[in-house]
Amino acid sequence: MAAANKLSVGVIGCANIAKKNCVAASTPFASCSITAISSRSDDKAREFVNEVFSGIEQRPTHIFSGSDAYDKLLESKESCDAVYIPLPTKLHEAYVGTALRNQKHVLLEKPVAVSAQSYRDMLSIASQEGKFLMDGTMYVHQTRTKQIVKAIPNANRIHFNFTFEGDEDFFKNNVRVKKEGDFMGCIGDLAWYCVRMGLLVFSDLNADVLRQGLVKEVQVVNCELNDDGVPIDADCMVYFSDKRVLSIHCSFKHPLNQTVNIFGTGSEYTATITDVILPRKGEHLEISLSKQHLIGYDQICCQEGKVLQASNAHVQEVCMWHNFAKWAQKIDEESSQAAADVENEKWWGGSSDEVKAANDIASYSLHTQIVLDGLMESIQKGGVRIQL
């Protein structure tokens, strides 16, 4: 750990998403400090630092550039204790492995890997090296998420829309629509968040339930591919145990929509959250609970409801960095003193709540990737159901 118990972090590449995460990591509550930046272009690296850290007191002290910039940062012992990797998916396994073997914790952008097996291999290295590997799904760290999961008793249906409308430049140049970049397209970029919500709700935040085989089958019932064969619009079904279902619409072709509806048999209300991935600003975040009934010989619909509030004192990106630093520190303290159990998805040994949380979030990441693998297989096979 760096000075004042802050986790020192290096950034691999200067992707746009790295900008907000560097700002978030630099806030006091995050307990992190961005100490190193790497880019294949020296000009880009310095422009990134000047833009992102203009109003931040502590700026990165190490800038690596050139064709081997990423490796130089990863192999540097003095520059950082952890790395943030926002690179295209196909590059993840190589750089994650290098980072872990160089005794660095890793925060990894989603989708985490080209396949679940690839992510298992990364987690195995993390376990062997006693270093933390966590995905960068922000909203799971927001205090509202636990309230969402608990909002509807006996939840058995979730419908999730996550869409945005890409412009001409997006469809021409963005890595998310490139076969050689993030080849899963809207499945990897958007459905990832939807699947994670389904896993959280239907497991009731119990990772042991997840590990027992919560998801049974998946299917992509409608899909549009671009000329590169990358999904850009899809309707997906995820079938869970006990006849519970998650339906997903994810698209790069429709206006921004990030709405989730949660239903439960026997539940008085339906839960609706319209800013679940990228929340609105404000002191509080909301969950709308509504119920309807008919009057006037079933001709008139009446609706009533209530709103649950959750604190937004720290935005979700800051909460993510805070947890990453806290859990990484505990893994450093405990993993060498207690045995791991990789076969049962306990990659780091230790008895603290922090190490348990680290193992649990790794399981949720892995099982999200397993579902995405199934969805991609369904697309490749013409939309058939895939057993998991």
Side-chain angles (χ1 to χ4, degrees):
M1 299 287 283
N5 292 321
K6 287 187 175 183
L7 182 68
S8 59
V9 179
V11 180
I12 305 299
C14 297
N16 281 334
I17 195 172
K19 294 177 180 179
K20 69 171 183 177
N21 279 318
C22 284
V23 172
S26 301
T27 61
F29 184 73
S31 301
C32 295
S33 176
I34 304 296
T35 55
I37 299 290
S38 63
S39 174
R40 289 166 180 168
S41 164
D42 185 67
D43 288 343
K44 187 174 182 179
R46 296 187 184 280
E47 288 172 4
F48 182 91
V49 171
N50 289 334
E51 176 186 348
V52 174
F53 295 90
S54 61
I56 297 173
E57 182 177 350
Q58 186 169 356
R59 295 163 67 93
T61 53
H62 302 271
I63 297 178
F64 300 89
S65 59
S67 59
D68 59 347
Y70 301 164
D71 289 318
K72 285 191 292 188
L73 187 154
L74 294 173
E75 293 168 4
S76 170
K77 294 182 179 180
E78 69 279 358
S79 65
C80 57
D81 298 317
V83 291
Y84 168 52
I85 302 181
L87 298 176
T89 307
K90 286 192 173 182
L91 301 178
H92 285 184
E93 186 168 6
Y95 285 112
V96 168
T98 300
L100 294 169
R101 292 188 179 98
N102 278 280
Q103 294 299 293
K104 289 175 170 51
H105 304 288
V106 178
L107 179 62
L108 182 64
E109 273 303 330
K110 35 57 57 186
V112 290
V114 297
S115 68
Q117 184 56 55
S118 173
Y119 197 56
R120 284 192 182 95
D121 293 343
M122 296 183 218
L123 286 167
S124 292
I125 298 171
S127 179
Q128 293 163 12
E129 300 294 337
K131 293 297 170 181
F132 187 29
L133 172 59
M134 187 179 93
D135 84 87
T137 307
M138 299 91 63
Y139 78 78
V140 301
H141 302 276
Q142 170 54 247
T143 55
R144 177 176 63 171
T145 300
K146 185 174 181 179
Q147 287 183 251
I148 293 173
V149 171
K150 303 291 185 178
I152 301 298
N154 304 313
N156 53 24
R157 291 292 185 278
I158 302 173
H159 182 67
F160 208 136
N161 285 310
F162 192 17
T163 65
F164 69 85
E165 194 167 12
D167 59 16
E168 183 179 353
D169 180 71
F170 175 86
F171 284 109
K172 184 178 180 180
N173 297 310
N174 197 279
V175 69
R176 288 172 284 182
V177 295
K178 300 293 184 181
K179 187 175 183 179
E180 69 274 12
D182 289 337
F183 66 97
M184 286 181 275
C186 64
I187 300 293
D189 186 48
L190 305 179
W192 172 279
Y193 294 99
C194 310
V195 170
R196 177 64 67 86
M197 181 61 74
L199 297 177
L200 292 169
V201 172
F202 291 145
S203 70
D204 198 25
L205 298 177
N206 186 339
D208 287 332
V209 172
L210 175 78
R211 295 172 182 127
Q212 292 167 9
L214 189 62
V215 181
K216 301 304 179 183
E217 293 181 313
V218 301
Q219 183 179 20
V220 178
V221 296
N222 181 61
C223 183
E224 180 180 350
L225 307 178
N226 67 6
D227 292 341
D228 231 5
V230 174
I232 58 174
D233 183 280
D235 294 288
C236 313
M237 305 295 292
V238 183
Y239 301 98
F240 290 75
S241 59
D242 299 324
K243 299 182 179 180
R244 293 169 292 179
V245 180
L246 164 68
S247 58
I248 299 168
H249 176 56
C250 56
S251 178
F252 295 146
K253 298 185 66 179
H254 296 151
L256 178 62
N257 188 303
Q258 46 171 336
T259 301
V260 60
N261 298 104
I262 305 174
F263 312 84
T265 300
S267 175
E268 185 179 7
Y269 293 97
T270 295
T272 300
I273 306 94
T274 59
D275 61 343
V276 67
I277 309 299
L278 302 167
R280 299 180 182 90
K281 289 185 177 180
E283 294 182 359
H284 297 93
L285 300 178
E286 295 184 349
I287 303 168
S288 296
L289 301 181
S290 63
K291 60 181 179 179
Q292 298 180 348
H293 62 274
L294 298 174
I295 62 173
Y297 303 107
D298 293 346
Q299 296 180 83
I300 301 171
C301 178
C302 295
Q303 179 167 309
E304 57 185 284
K306 57 184 177 179
V307 174
L308 305 180
Q309 290 189 329
S311 171
N312 195 31
H314 301 289
V315 298
Q316 58 189 12
E317 291 84 0
V318 173
C319 294
M320 176 182 71
W321 282 109
H322 174 82
N323 286 337
F324 178 65
K326 179 172 62 174
W327 299 342
Q329 182 177 13
K330 279 297 184 179
I331 287 172
D332 278 341
E333 293 173 1
E334 297 183 21
S335 65
S336 63
Q337 303 172 20
D341 184 3
V342 172
E343 185 175 343
N344 290 305
E345 300 184 14
K346 306 293 174 65
W347 292 278
W348 303 282
S351 59
S352 67
D353 290 342
E354 289 84 358
V355 172
K356 181 183 183 302
N359 280 305
D360 286 352
I361 202 166
S363 284
Y364 279 102
S365 303
L366 174 61
H367 286 266
T368 303
Q369 185 70 51
I370 289 170
V371 172
L372 262 61
D373 287 1
L375 293 173
M376 292 300 293
E377 183 180 353
S378 178
I379 292 172
Q380 293 160 7
K381 294 182 177 179
V384 300
R385 281 200 187 198
I386 302 297
Q387 291 188 345
L388 300 186

